[in-house]
Amino acid sequence: RIRALLGAGGMGEVYLAEDERLQRPVAMKVLTSGDRTALPEARAASALNHPNVAHIYDVGELDDIVFIAMEYVEGVTLETRLVSGPLPIHEAIDIAAQLADALVDAHAKGIIHRDLKPENIVINQRGQAKILDFGLAKMLLDETISAEAPNVIRGTVPYMSPEQTRAKALDHRSDIFSFGVILYEMIAGARPFDGPDVLHTLRNIAELPARDIDRADVPDVLRKIIAKCLEKNRDDRYETPAQLVADLHALRDKPKRRNWIAITAIAIVIVAAIMMVSRRENKPKAKPRVVKITAASGLEDEPALSPDGQSIAYTSDERGNLDIFVRRVAGGEPTRLLDDDADDAQPAWSPDGTRIAFVSARNRGGRLSIVLGQALGNFVNAQGGDLFVVPARGGNAVKLIDNAFYPAWSPDAKWIVFQSPRGGRWDIWKIAASGGAPLQLTSDRDFDYQPSWSPDGKSIVYGSGMPAPYVLKIIPANGGAARAITDGKDGVLLRPIFAADSRSILYSSTRGGSLNLWRLALKEKSTPEQLTLGEGDDVCPSIGADGKRIAYATARQTADLWSIDVAGGKSEQLTFDTGDEEFPHRSVQGVLVFASDRSGKEALWLRDPNGTMRMLIARPAAGQPRWSPDGKRLAYRAYIDGKTSLVIRDAGGEERVIAKMAESPSWSPDGKWIAYTSWERQTQAQIHVASADGAPQPRQLTKLPLTTSYPTWSPDGRQVVFQATRDDGARHLWIVDVATGRVRALTSGASEDSHPQWSPMNPDRILFVRNHKNLMSVSVATGEVRAMTSFAEPNMILDYPSWSMDGTRVDFSIARKRGDLYMLEEQ
């Protein structure tokens, strides 16, 4: 079953498809010419079974269609990885060794690739490289190379061997030359033979030596390996890829040379260390043991170990909503803590193990939802809930305070600390466990979240940022000045807790690329230590009283792009599990711009009408892109010079910052103005309007005692719709008159209404998201609300919708979350 077009090239089109018999995704290549000459070699290539080669599952014909079904490899192409420049030496050598090892296996079976290039190499999140399209490039031999038809071989010429340029018979040494070009590009950041056009590049490959690599840290041995691969005469290259692999492995495993002074200094240090510890028993530290606690098909999340370490409370969606379950760590059947169809989550044990604090949506429509305006994804469910306490054995839950999230008990059980948007900002608060008025601990402009108490009861650690970079902060438990303890290099940062001895902090961070558990010692100039290296997102650490066992959740989630035809109501998924894809917006020319981390970094990407994608801009916190009405300029948010800023990029690539401490830009219909959210010199974010050309000065459009954000213009440019957050955290839609500043509420009630988008063609309809579950529209004149979608999944987050310029389609994102619980046991 065909799911989506992944790309198109000289050989044909590639689709993401589903093998419905084996229930697995496959990449389906359809040869547009119906050429059957590649099929015998593709069938031979299907015999390859190597971890660095994408497997071919099936080859066949149906009427005039020639197809090849192969392994669908998730990750980024090496071509995309090289957009940002050369690779670190060790990474390039590691990738090269994997590729060369794949060539050994293929060439031993008599299979030549003939079209090795970065576009045909995919690298997954674990750093594993896979070569695509083995046995499918024979058509290169039959192409005619000419100045009149350069498009026939575009994208392949720079990686051809000299014998390919002369249309000579090929053997495995042609692949070795192409491999050398790729290795050169990984090191130098450019190709060795590129010319101003195809013919010059072909001549350079056939006649000229490779350009010198201008990089000081390249070992001489590596330069010699590259030079040997790029010999013009194939007899002078490596005779077999096995020899190449041996040289690469020797280079990778070779220790760095040190001069005798450094060796002497190291020896002195070693001798001194031996003398200092000579009377101590010197046992090697055993590696931590990882044990899987749950294995259900849905979501198990937010583990909390009981004070005695014998039980664990956690959140699960097995009944269709979020529930809290309790079970013995050693095993056994879990017990559902509460009998309610509303979402119950975020359990926290009291110090004596008799009570559990938790957050419930039972009085707010039944569903918890994520926080807007943050890069924390759907890891922070902090809308639509209140704080309750229930006996650990079950019973009646007692509401402690409304609009409160992520509770944590003080060691003496007298207080509970939590995060809350009361007052219009996200701050840290605490309340007596027996009830009463809450006390505010933080009052800055940052988003302060997920607090936890120190074992001695003197301090509270929490995450903070607006919206990035996020840092860990510690504040005295009775209030006072907060201090940052991390360097802002963590990216997403979640669920900090103190270790049992109060000497370190455990938390989740994307410092290493994906979300993993880290430990930071509370001493000067300490560097965080990575504890896990999972394929999913390792979050929500909970540490046992002995300090040796850490429970955590490994979640897997991706936000993909979707599109819906407004008239027919048919939804279509556009991207599939390649990373987080958000903030789509379609230009008048039909080009979709969106934010994605598919390359391993935050960036804006373009998807043209035929599905081809390319990176446009790579910047920290790049997101919220919006095309101008003519499709020639782009406004977007990025993190620049320490501040979240709005940038306008023109057709020539020139950029300028139009506002700082700002986000969520929206163009006026005539393209002259930008409405946006600003919190510069504001206690609560408000809507501002600035000229797209830079003058006059921006003016404040709203002055509500509420946090306002996500503006979009009416089709006539006279009004702006936006979302406003009440003191209780609920968001609803409001409209402001641009000329007078008069405002009025458009929606109300218990639901969460957010991300409004005024229809560009119908002045009476405004699109919005309800409870982050479904798309809705509301009549400006009557307030009538209609449903546009009917999704019902409990762990699905729908976000960031936008209209196409002609009003016929709506693009949006959907994120799904699954996960299991694990225990890290330090020996």
Short mmCIF file of all heavy atoms in Angstrom, two decimals, residues 301-302 322 345-346 359 368-385 404-406 418-421 426 428 447-451 463-464 467 470 492-496 508 515 539-540 555 557 731 772 795 797 799-800 817:
data_model
loop_
_atom_site.label_atom_id
_atom_site.label_comp_id
_atom_site.label_asym_id
_atom_site.label_seq_id
_atom_site.Cartn_x
_atom_site.Cartn_y
_atom_site.Cartn_z
N ASP A 301 4.81 5.62 31.30
CA ASP A 301 5.59 6.86 31.41
C ASP A 301 5.59 7.33 32.86
O ASP A 301 4.87 6.80 33.70
CB ASP A 301 4.94 7.91 30.49
CG ASP A 301 5.86 9.07 30.16
OD1 ASP A 301 7.05 9.02 30.54
OD2 ASP A 301 5.39 10.03 29.53
N GLU A 302 6.42 8.31 33.15
CA GLU A 302 6.45 9.02 34.43
C GLU A 302 6.60 8.09 35.62
O GLU A 302 5.79 8.11 36.56
CB GLU A 302 5.20 9.89 34.57
CG GLU A 302 5.07 10.91 33.45
CD GLU A 302 3.80 11.74 33.53
OE1 GLU A 302 2.77 11.24 34.04
OE2 GLU A 302 3.83 12.89 33.08
N LEU A 322 -5.15 8.49 30.21
CA LEU A 322 -3.99 8.37 31.09
C LEU A 322 -4.45 7.98 32.48
O LEU A 322 -5.31 8.64 33.08
CB LEU A 322 -3.21 9.69 31.14
CG LEU A 322 -2.59 10.16 29.83
CD1 LEU A 322 -1.85 11.48 30.03
CD2 LEU A 322 -1.65 9.11 29.26
N ALA A 345 -2.21 11.70 35.95
CA ALA A 345 -0.80 11.54 35.57
C ALA A 345 0.10 12.20 36.61
O ALA A 345 -0.36 12.72 37.63
CB ALA A 345 -0.56 12.14 34.19
N GLN A 346 1.43 12.12 36.35
CA GLN A 346 2.47 12.79 37.13
C GLN A 346 2.46 12.38 38.62
O GLN A 346 2.42 13.23 39.51
CB GLN A 346 2.34 14.30 36.98
CG GLN A 346 2.39 14.76 35.53
CD GLN A 346 1.93 16.18 35.29
OE1 GLN A 346 1.95 17.01 36.20
NE2 GLN A 346 1.52 16.48 34.07
N VAL A 359 -1.68 14.77 39.18
CA VAL A 359 -2.41 15.80 38.45
C VAL A 359 -3.54 15.12 37.68
O VAL A 359 -3.35 14.07 37.07
CB VAL A 359 -1.47 16.56 37.48
CG1 VAL A 359 -2.26 17.50 36.59
CG2 VAL A 359 -0.42 17.32 38.27
N LEU A 368 -5.52 16.13 29.69
CA LEU A 368 -4.37 17.01 29.86
C LEU A 368 -3.80 17.35 28.48
O LEU A 368 -3.90 16.56 27.55
CB LEU A 368 -3.28 16.33 30.70
CG LEU A 368 -3.65 16.01 32.15
CD1 LEU A 368 -2.55 15.17 32.78
CD2 LEU A 368 -3.88 17.28 32.94
N SER A 369 -3.20 18.51 28.36
CA SER A 369 -2.60 18.89 27.08
C SER A 369 -1.27 19.57 27.32
O SER A 369 -0.93 19.95 28.44
CB SER A 369 -3.54 19.80 26.28
OG SER A 369 -3.84 20.98 27.00
N ILE A 370 -0.52 19.72 26.23
CA ILE A 370 0.85 20.23 26.34
C ILE A 370 0.85 21.75 26.45
O ILE A 370 -0.14 22.42 26.19
CB ILE A 370 1.70 19.79 25.14
CG1 ILE A 370 1.15 20.41 23.85
CG2 ILE A 370 1.75 18.29 25.04
CD1 ILE A 370 2.05 20.22 22.65
N VAL A 371 2.00 22.27 26.81
CA VAL A 371 2.19 23.71 26.94
C VAL A 371 2.57 24.29 25.58
O VAL A 371 3.41 23.74 24.87
CB VAL A 371 3.29 24.02 27.97
CG1 VAL A 371 3.57 25.51 28.02
CG2 VAL A 371 2.85 23.54 29.34
N LEU A 372 1.99 25.40 25.24
CA LEU A 372 2.31 26.07 23.99
C LEU A 372 3.60 26.88 24.09
O LEU A 372 4.03 27.24 25.18
CB LEU A 372 1.19 27.03 23.59
CG LEU A 372 -0.10 26.39 23.06
CD1 LEU A 372 -1.12 27.47 22.83
CD2 LEU A 372 0.18 25.65 21.77
N GLY A 373 4.19 27.16 22.94
CA GLY A 373 5.29 28.11 22.86
C GLY A 373 6.61 27.61 23.38
O GLY A 373 7.51 28.41 23.64
N GLN A 374 6.77 26.30 23.57
CA GLN A 374 8.03 25.77 24.09
C GLN A 374 8.55 24.69 23.16
O GLN A 374 7.80 24.07 22.42
CB GLN A 374 7.83 25.20 25.50
CG GLN A 374 7.36 26.23 26.52
CD GLN A 374 8.38 27.32 26.75
OE1 GLN A 374 9.58 27.08 26.79
NE2 GLN A 374 7.91 28.54 26.91
N ALA A 375 9.86 24.46 23.23
CA ALA A 375 10.50 23.43 22.39
C ALA A 375 10.56 22.09 23.12
O ALA A 375 11.33 21.22 22.74
CB ALA A 375 11.90 23.88 22.01
N LEU A 376 9.77 21.93 24.17
CA LEU A 376 9.83 20.73 25.00
C LEU A 376 8.93 19.62 24.48
O LEU A 376 8.80 18.57 25.11
CB LEU A 376 9.44 21.08 26.44
CG LEU A 376 10.32 22.14 27.11
CD1 LEU A 376 9.75 22.52 28.46
CD2 LEU A 376 11.74 21.64 27.26
N GLY A 377 8.30 19.86 23.32
CA GLY A 377 7.49 18.82 22.71
C GLY A 377 6.32 18.43 23.59
O GLY A 377 5.80 19.24 24.37
N ASN A 378 5.90 17.17 23.49
CA ASN A 378 4.76 16.73 24.32
C ASN A 378 5.26 16.02 25.57
O ASN A 378 4.64 15.09 26.06
CB ASN A 378 3.81 15.84 23.52
CG ASN A 378 4.49 14.61 22.95
OD1 ASN A 378 5.70 14.45 23.08
ND2 ASN A 378 3.73 13.75 22.32
N PHE A 379 6.40 16.48 26.10
CA PHE A 379 6.91 15.95 27.36
C PHE A 379 6.42 16.77 28.55
O PHE A 379 6.69 16.41 29.69
CB PHE A 379 8.44 15.93 27.35
CG PHE A 379 9.03 14.91 26.43
CD1 PHE A 379 9.57 15.28 25.22
CD2 PHE A 379 9.02 13.57 26.76
CE1 PHE A 379 10.10 14.33 24.37
CE2 PHE A 379 9.54 12.61 25.92
CZ PHE A 379 10.09 12.99 24.72
N VAL A 380 5.76 17.88 28.30
CA VAL A 380 5.28 18.72 29.41
C VAL A 380 3.78 18.90 29.27
O VAL A 380 3.29 19.80 28.59
CB VAL A 380 6.00 20.09 29.41
CG1 VAL A 380 5.51 20.92 30.60
CG2 VAL A 380 7.51 19.90 29.49
N ASN A 381 3.02 17.99 29.89
CA ASN A 381 1.56 18.10 29.93
C ASN A 381 1.19 18.99 31.09
O ASN A 381 1.08 18.54 32.23
CB ASN A 381 0.92 16.72 30.09
CG ASN A 381 0.89 15.93 28.81
OD1 ASN A 381 0.78 16.52 27.74
ND2 ASN A 381 1.01 14.63 28.89
N ALA A 382 0.98 20.26 30.83
CA ALA A 382 0.75 21.20 31.91
C ALA A 382 -0.39 22.17 31.58
O ALA A 382 -0.31 23.36 31.90
CB ALA A 382 2.03 21.97 32.23
N GLN A 383 -1.41 21.64 30.93
CA GLN A 383 -2.62 22.42 30.69
C GLN A 383 -3.82 21.52 31.00
O GLN A 383 -3.81 20.32 30.71
CB GLN A 383 -2.70 22.89 29.24
CG GLN A 383 -1.61 23.86 28.82
CD GLN A 383 -1.87 25.27 29.34
OE1 GLN A 383 -2.82 25.51 30.10
NE2 GLN A 383 -1.01 26.20 28.97
N GLY A 384 -4.83 22.10 31.62
CA GLY A 384 -6.08 21.38 31.85
C GLY A 384 -6.05 20.44 33.03
O GLY A 384 -6.77 19.43 33.03
N GLY A 385 -5.27 20.73 34.07
CA GLY A 385 -5.19 19.83 35.21
C GLY A 385 -5.11 20.54 36.55
O GLY A 385 -4.76 21.72 36.62
N ALA A 404 -2.24 23.28 38.65
CA ALA A 404 -0.91 22.97 39.19
C ALA A 404 -0.43 21.66 38.58
O ALA A 404 -1.21 20.73 38.37
CB ALA A 404 -0.96 22.87 40.71
N PHE A 405 0.91 21.58 38.34
CA PHE A 405 1.46 20.45 37.60
C PHE A 405 2.82 20.04 38.15
O PHE A 405 3.53 20.84 38.75
CB PHE A 405 1.58 20.81 36.12
CG PHE A 405 0.30 21.30 35.51
CD1 PHE A 405 -0.04 22.65 35.56
CD2 PHE A 405 -0.59 20.42 34.93
CE1 PHE A 405 -1.24 23.11 35.03
CE2 PHE A 405 -1.80 20.87 34.39
CZ PHE A 405 -2.12 22.22 34.44
N TYR A 406 3.17 18.77 37.92
CA TYR A 406 4.47 18.19 38.28
C TYR A 406 4.80 18.41 39.76
O TYR A 406 5.75 19.10 40.13
CB TYR A 406 5.57 18.73 37.37
CG TYR A 406 5.36 18.27 35.95
CD1 TYR A 406 4.75 19.10 35.01
CD2 TYR A 406 5.69 16.97 35.57
CE1 TYR A 406 4.50 18.66 33.72
CE2 TYR A 406 5.44 16.52 34.27
CZ TYR A 406 4.85 17.37 33.36
OH TYR A 406 4.59 16.92 32.09
N PHE A 418 5.35 22.78 42.90
CA PHE A 418 4.75 22.48 41.60
C PHE A 418 5.00 23.65 40.65
O PHE A 418 5.44 24.74 41.06
CB PHE A 418 3.25 22.21 41.75
CG PHE A 418 2.47 23.35 42.38
CD1 PHE A 418 1.88 24.34 41.59
CD2 PHE A 418 2.33 23.44 43.76
CE1 PHE A 418 1.17 25.39 42.16
CE2 PHE A 418 1.62 24.48 44.35
CZ PHE A 418 1.05 25.46 43.54
N GLN A 419 4.70 23.44 39.37
CA GLN A 419 4.73 24.53 38.40
C GLN A 419 3.31 24.94 38.08
O GLN A 419 2.39 24.13 38.12
CB GLN A 419 5.45 24.13 37.12
CG GLN A 419 4.68 23.16 36.23
CD GLN A 419 5.38 22.84 34.93
OE1 GLN A 419 6.38 22.14 34.93
NE2 GLN A 419 4.85 23.35 33.82
N SER A 420 3.13 26.23 37.75
CA SER A 420 1.78 26.72 37.47
C SER A 420 1.87 28.01 36.65
O SER A 420 2.79 28.81 36.84
CB SER A 420 1.02 26.99 38.76
OG SER A 420 -0.25 27.57 38.50
N PRO A 421 0.88 28.22 35.75
CA PRO A 421 0.83 29.48 35.01
C PRO A 421 -0.06 30.52 35.68
O PRO A 421 -0.42 31.53 35.05
CB PRO A 421 0.22 29.05 33.67
CG PRO A 421 -0.74 27.97 34.07
CD PRO A 421 -0.09 27.24 35.23
N TRP A 426 4.60 31.19 33.77
CA TRP A 426 4.92 29.87 34.31
C TRP A 426 6.00 30.01 35.36
O TRP A 426 7.17 30.28 35.04
CB TRP A 426 5.37 28.95 33.19
CG TRP A 426 4.23 28.47 32.37
CD1 TRP A 426 3.79 28.99 31.19
CD2 TRP A 426 3.36 27.38 32.67
NE1 TRP A 426 2.69 28.29 30.74
CE2 TRP A 426 2.42 27.30 31.62
CE3 TRP A 426 3.30 26.47 33.72
CZ2 TRP A 426 1.42 26.33 31.59
CZ3 TRP A 426 2.30 25.51 33.68
CH2 TRP A 426 1.38 25.44 32.64
N ILE A 428 7.39 28.68 39.59
CA ILE A 428 7.44 27.62 40.59
C ILE A 428 6.72 28.11 41.85
O ILE A 428 7.00 29.21 42.34
CB ILE A 428 8.89 27.21 40.91
CG1 ILE A 428 9.62 26.81 39.61
CG2 ILE A 428 8.91 26.09 41.92
CD1 ILE A 428 8.99 25.67 38.85
N PHE A 447 10.10 30.41 31.35
CA PHE A 447 9.20 29.29 31.59
C PHE A 447 9.89 28.39 32.62
O PHE A 447 10.88 27.71 32.32
CB PHE A 447 8.98 28.53 30.27
CG PHE A 447 8.13 27.30 30.40
CD1 PHE A 447 6.76 27.39 30.52
CD2 PHE A 447 8.72 26.04 30.40
CE1 PHE A 447 5.98 26.24 30.63
CE2 PHE A 447 7.95 24.89 30.50
CZ PHE A 447 6.57 25.00 30.63
N ASP A 448 9.40 28.40 33.84
CA ASP A 448 9.97 27.61 34.94
C ASP A 448 9.12 26.36 35.13
O ASP A 448 7.89 26.44 35.25
CB ASP A 448 10.00 28.43 36.23
CG ASP A 448 10.86 29.70 36.09
OD1 ASP A 448 11.79 29.68 35.27
OD2 ASP A 448 10.59 30.68 36.80
N TYR A 449 9.77 25.20 35.20
CA TYR A 449 9.00 23.97 35.11
C TYR A 449 9.67 22.80 35.84
O TYR A 449 10.86 22.80 36.10
CB TYR A 449 8.76 23.60 33.65
CG TYR A 449 10.03 23.34 32.86
CD1 TYR A 449 10.49 22.05 32.60
CD2 TYR A 449 10.78 24.40 32.35
CE1 TYR A 449 11.64 21.81 31.88
CE2 TYR A 449 11.94 24.17 31.62
CZ TYR A 449 12.37 22.89 31.39
OH TYR A 449 13.52 22.65 30.68
N GLN A 450 8.85 21.81 36.19
CA GLN A 450 9.23 20.51 36.72
C GLN A 450 10.23 20.60 37.90
O GLN A 450 11.37 20.17 37.80
CB GLN A 450 9.79 19.64 35.59
CG GLN A 450 8.72 19.32 34.56
CD GLN A 450 9.21 18.48 33.40
OE1 GLN A 450 10.40 18.45 33.08
NE2 GLN A 450 8.29 17.80 32.73
N PRO A 451 9.76 21.14 39.02
CA PRO A 451 10.64 21.30 40.19
C PRO A 451 10.81 20.01 40.98
O PRO A 451 9.98 19.09 40.89
CB PRO A 451 9.91 22.35 41.02
CG PRO A 451 8.46 22.09 40.73
CD PRO A 451 8.41 21.68 39.27
N GLY A 463 13.77 23.32 35.80
CA GLY A 463 14.18 23.76 34.48
C GLY A 463 13.65 25.13 34.20
O GLY A 463 12.61 25.54 34.71
N SER A 464 14.37 25.88 33.32
CA SER A 464 13.95 27.25 33.05
C SER A 464 14.44 27.68 31.68
O SER A 464 15.55 27.34 31.26
CB SER A 464 14.51 28.19 34.12
OG SER A 464 14.08 29.53 33.90
N PRO A 467 12.05 30.61 24.88
CA PRO A 467 11.80 29.21 25.17
C PRO A 467 13.08 28.40 25.19
O PRO A 467 13.08 27.24 25.51
CB PRO A 467 10.91 28.78 24.01
CG PRO A 467 11.35 29.64 22.89
CD PRO A 467 11.80 30.93 23.48
N TYR A 470 17.38 26.17 27.46
CA TYR A 470 16.90 25.76 28.77
C TYR A 470 18.10 25.46 29.68
O TYR A 470 19.11 24.90 29.23
CB TYR A 470 16.02 24.52 28.65
CG TYR A 470 14.77 24.78 27.85
CD1 TYR A 470 14.66 24.38 26.52
CD2 TYR A 470 13.68 25.44 28.42
CE1 TYR A 470 13.52 24.64 25.78
CE2 TYR A 470 12.53 25.70 27.69
CZ TYR A 470 12.46 25.29 26.37
OH TYR A 470 11.32 25.55 25.65
N VAL A 492 16.88 20.61 24.75
CA VAL A 492 15.73 20.25 25.58
C VAL A 492 16.24 19.66 26.89
O VAL A 492 17.16 18.85 26.90
CB VAL A 492 14.84 19.24 24.84
CG1 VAL A 492 13.78 18.67 25.76
CG2 VAL A 492 14.18 19.91 23.64
N LEU A 493 15.63 20.05 27.98
CA LEU A 493 16.06 19.65 29.31
C LEU A 493 14.82 19.36 30.14
O LEU A 493 13.90 20.18 30.18
CB LEU A 493 16.89 20.78 29.91
CG LEU A 493 17.54 20.63 31.27
CD1 LEU A 493 18.77 21.53 31.35
CD2 LEU A 493 16.59 21.00 32.39
N LEU A 494 14.77 18.19 30.81
CA LEU A 494 13.54 17.74 31.46
C LEU A 494 13.80 17.06 32.80
O LEU A 494 14.85 16.46 33.01
CB LEU A 494 12.79 16.75 30.56
CG LEU A 494 12.27 17.27 29.22
CD1 LEU A 494 11.95 16.12 28.29
CD2 LEU A 494 11.05 18.16 29.42
N ARG A 495 12.81 17.13 33.68
CA ARG A 495 12.64 16.35 34.90
C ARG A 495 13.91 16.24 35.77
O ARG A 495 14.39 15.14 36.06
CB ARG A 495 12.13 14.97 34.57
CG ARG A 495 10.80 14.96 33.85
CD ARG A 495 9.68 15.60 34.64
NE ARG A 495 9.25 14.78 35.74
CZ ARG A 495 8.19 13.96 35.70
NH1 ARG A 495 7.47 13.87 34.60
NH2 ARG A 495 7.85 13.26 36.75
N PRO A 496 14.48 17.35 36.21
CA PRO A 496 15.66 17.26 37.09
C PRO A 496 15.28 16.78 38.48
O PRO A 496 14.23 17.14 39.03
CB PRO A 496 16.17 18.70 37.13
CG PRO A 496 14.95 19.54 36.91
CD PRO A 496 14.08 18.75 35.96
N SER A 508 17.09 14.70 32.19
CA SER A 508 17.09 14.29 30.78
C SER A 508 17.53 15.48 29.93
O SER A 508 17.15 16.62 30.21
CB SER A 508 15.70 13.84 30.34
OG SER A 508 15.27 12.73 31.08
N LEU A 515 17.38 12.51 23.47
CA LEU A 515 17.14 12.65 24.90
C LEU A 515 17.69 11.44 25.65
O LEU A 515 17.29 10.31 25.40
CB LEU A 515 15.64 12.77 25.17
CG LEU A 515 15.06 14.18 25.27
CD1 LEU A 515 13.55 14.11 25.35
CD2 LEU A 515 15.62 14.94 26.45
N VAL A 539 13.59 9.64 29.63
CA VAL A 539 13.06 10.76 30.38
C VAL A 539 12.58 10.30 31.75
O VAL A 539 12.49 9.11 32.04
CB VAL A 539 11.89 11.44 29.63
CG1 VAL A 539 12.39 12.12 28.37
CG2 VAL A 539 10.81 10.44 29.28
N CYS A 540 12.23 11.28 32.57
CA CYS A 540 11.56 11.07 33.86
C CYS A 540 12.34 10.17 34.81
O CYS A 540 11.83 9.13 35.26
CB CYS A 540 10.16 10.48 33.66
SG CYS A 540 9.11 11.44 32.56
N ALA A 555 10.72 6.85 25.83
CA ALA A 555 9.59 7.19 24.97
C ALA A 555 10.05 7.30 23.53
O ALA A 555 11.20 7.64 23.25
CB ALA A 555 8.96 8.50 25.42
N GLN A 557 8.68 9.11 20.01
CA GLN A 557 7.67 9.98 19.43
C GLN A 557 8.27 10.76 18.27
O GLN A 557 9.45 11.06 18.25
CB GLN A 557 7.14 10.96 20.47
CG GLN A 557 8.21 11.91 20.99
CD GLN A 557 7.61 12.96 21.89
OE1 GLN A 557 6.40 13.06 22.03
NE2 GLN A 557 8.45 13.76 22.50
N ARG A 731 -6.68 28.52 27.39
CA ARG A 731 -6.49 29.42 26.25
C ARG A 731 -7.76 29.48 25.42
O ARG A 731 -8.41 28.46 25.19
CB ARG A 731 -5.33 28.93 25.38
CG ARG A 731 -3.98 29.04 26.04
CD ARG A 731 -3.02 28.03 25.47
NE ARG A 731 -3.43 26.68 25.83
CZ ARG A 731 -2.75 25.59 25.49
NH1 ARG A 731 -1.66 25.70 24.79
NH2 ARG A 731 -3.17 24.40 25.85
N HIS A 772 -5.61 20.25 21.55
CA HIS A 772 -4.48 19.63 20.85
C HIS A 772 -4.84 18.25 20.30
O HIS A 772 -3.96 17.41 20.11
CB HIS A 772 -3.26 19.53 21.76
CG HIS A 772 -2.48 20.80 21.82
ND1 HIS A 772 -1.70 21.23 20.79
CD2 HIS A 772 -2.40 21.74 22.78
CE1 HIS A 772 -1.15 22.39 21.12
NE2 HIS A 772 -1.57 22.72 22.31
N ASN A 795 -2.79 9.52 23.05
CA ASN A 795 -1.44 10.07 23.06
C ASN A 795 -1.05 10.66 21.72
O ASN A 795 0.06 10.51 21.24
CB ASN A 795 -0.43 9.01 23.48
CG ASN A 795 -0.35 8.91 24.99
OD1 ASN A 795 -0.09 9.90 25.66
ND2 ASN A 795 -0.60 7.74 25.50
N ILE A 797 -0.88 14.30 19.66
CA ILE A 797 -0.86 15.75 19.80
C ILE A 797 -0.97 16.36 18.41
O ILE A 797 -0.09 16.16 17.57
CB ILE A 797 0.42 16.24 20.49
CG1 ILE A 797 0.58 15.58 21.86
CG2 ILE A 797 0.41 17.76 20.61
CD1 ILE A 797 -0.50 15.95 22.84
N ASP A 799 -1.05 19.81 16.16
CA ASP A 799 -0.49 21.14 16.40
C ASP A 799 -0.24 21.90 15.10
O ASP A 799 -0.20 21.33 14.02
CB ASP A 799 0.83 21.00 17.16
CG ASP A 799 0.86 21.87 18.41
OD1 ASP A 799 0.11 22.85 18.46
OD2 ASP A 799 1.64 21.56 19.32
N TYR A 800 -0.05 23.22 15.26
CA TYR A 800 0.51 24.15 14.27
C TYR A 800 -0.17 24.08 12.89
O TYR A 800 0.49 23.86 11.88
CB TYR A 800 2.00 23.92 14.11
CG TYR A 800 2.74 23.88 15.42
CD1 TYR A 800 3.48 22.76 15.79
CD2 TYR A 800 2.68 24.95 16.30
CE1 TYR A 800 4.15 22.72 17.00
CE2 TYR A 800 3.34 24.92 17.52
CZ TYR A 800 4.07 23.79 17.86
OH TYR A 800 4.73 23.76 19.07
N LYS A 817 3.08 9.27 20.76
CA LYS A 817 4.04 8.91 21.80
C LYS A 817 3.77 7.50 22.31
O LYS A 817 2.64 7.15 22.63
CB LYS A 817 3.93 9.92 22.96
CG LYS A 817 4.95 9.75 24.06
CD LYS A 817 4.75 10.86 25.09
CE LYS A 817 5.70 10.75 26.26
NZ LYS A 817 5.44 11.79 27.27
#
